[in-house]
Amino acid sequence: MAKSLRTFPGTLLLVGCGNMAGAMLDRWLAEGLDPARVAIVDPVAAPREGIAHHASLAEWQAAGGSADWVMLGMKPQQLGDVAADLAPQVGDDVHLLSILAGVSLADLAARFPDARAHVRILPNLAARIGAGVSAVASLGRTDDRAVAALLKPLGQVVPLADDSTMDLVTAFTGSGPAFVFRLIESYAAAGERLGLSSEDALALATATFGGSVALLADSAEKPGALVAQVASKGGTTQAGLDVLDEGGQLVALMTNVLRAARDRGRELADIARRES
């Protein structure tokens, strides 16, 4: 199979390369991105073969650093310090990409006013295996084909007209894998409490969630229709569903989970603005 990023135009700088940015980069490298055209600025990120690794922006700049594409992947609270050092290198030929929670396109445009384009991307960790989902919104003279070439190897891409819903999307899809992992972990723990071994409980829970999601993705039916195919009146499944559905408690719980994550994203954005 041809690797989609062998001919990606330009050079790429990652400012911050933690779990999410690192997952994206590893996927891009697997898809043919030339490591010689990539640089990382991160004092603690694991080194990657063939990629220039710098502990600071000053070190990158001293090495003659320049880039056509810059992706911000550090903590949102660091935006002020990073922008002060980096903005002079982000001119009208540079695409600025950001995966920073809570940092809006308007914030990015204010910090990096000379960039050719500002692109806000909200991926999730399943990008590591090409099964993620990335919401994207942009301002400026965006090279849409090149942005699409970067995002397609990560999984499904959802273009947004603007970034007004990004705080919710951050909670919904960006944080979502952690919530799903916790649900699987809790499901397995419940099985263990009721008599399964910890190994069997986790294996069965993982397979049950994985198979159910795969079936839903492959089906034209809504979740409720598939529920009805499993449950029968007065049966074992319905007995469990009665507990889950009582008083709308499950929807209420998930609403509170998403609200808390969304609101924290907004708080982080406010902190980043205050510390500029």
Side-chain angles (χ1 to χ4, degrees):
M1 181 182 294
K3 295 191 174 183
S4 61
L5 292 177
R6 287 191 184 280
T7 59
F8 183 77
T11 53
L12 172 66
L13 170 68
L14 274 67
V15 183
C17 192
N19 289 333
M20 189 65 253
M24 296 168 72
L25 176 59
D26 290 341
R27 184 65 183 168
W28 291 335
L29 294 172
E31 285 296 309
L33 184 64
D34 183 356
R37 305 177 81 176
V38 181
I40 294 171
V41 172
D42 190 318
V44 298
R48 288 168 170 81
E49 185 176 356
I51 293 179
H53 189 168
H54 305 280
S56 67
L57 283 167
E59 183 180 299
W60 171 71
Q61 291 160 355
S66 65
D68 305 299
W69 297 76
V70 174
M71 187 171 86
L72 305 179
M74 68 290 174
K75 296 181 184 301
Q77 302 94 310
Q78 297 174 296
L79 178 60
D81 291 339
V82 167
D85 293 336
L86 183 61
Q89 276 70 48
V90 179
D92 62 5
D93 56 346
V94 176
H95 277 71
L96 183 79
L97 314 177
S98 171
I99 61 170
L100 304 184
V103 178
S104 69
L105 287 171
D107 293 332
L108 295 172
R111 306 298 185 115
F112 301 92
D114 297 328
R116 168 179 170 168
H118 304 86
V119 184
R120 190 175 175 193
I121 304 166
L122 291 177
N124 65 16
L125 195 58
R128 180 183 292 165
I129 59 169
V133 56
S134 299
V136 58
S138 63
L139 286 174
R141 297 175 293 114
T142 309
D143 184 338
D144 292 325
R145 289 186 64 183
V147 171
L150 277 178
L151 297 184
K152 187 175 179 181
L154 306 181
Q156 185 175 348
V157 180
V158 180
L160 303 177
D162 57 50
D163 68 338
S164 60
T165 61
M166 281 287 199
D167 290 328
L168 177 56
V169 174
T170 300
F172 202 80
T173 62
S175 302
F179 305 149
V180 173
F181 297 147
R182 183 68 86 216
L183 288 171
I184 294 171
E185 184 179 53
S186 299
Y187 197 69
E192 188 177 353
R193 283 187 180 183
L194 293 174
L196 293 173
S197 71
S198 59
E199 294 81 7
D200 287 348
L202 182 56
L204 289 167
T206 301
T208 299
F209 274 72
S212 300
V213 171
L215 178 59
L216 177 61
D218 191 58
S219 173
E221 296 180 284
K222 297 290 181 66
L226 294 174
V227 168
Q229 292 176 29
V230 181
S232 57
K233 187 175 181 179
T236 59
T237 304
Q238 190 59 54
L241 287 170
D242 289 344
V243 176
L244 282 177
D245 296 340
E246 184 178 358
Q249 62 182 350
L250 187 58
V251 174
L253 173 63
M254 296 312 302
T255 301
N256 289 336
V257 167
L258 292 171
R259 182 184 293 112
R262 180 202 64 187
D263 292 351
R264 180 55 179 162
R266 292 173 176 174
E267 291 170 2
L268 290 173
D270 289 340
I271 293 170
R273 294 185 189 103
R274 289 197 301 271
E275 294 183 354
S276 62

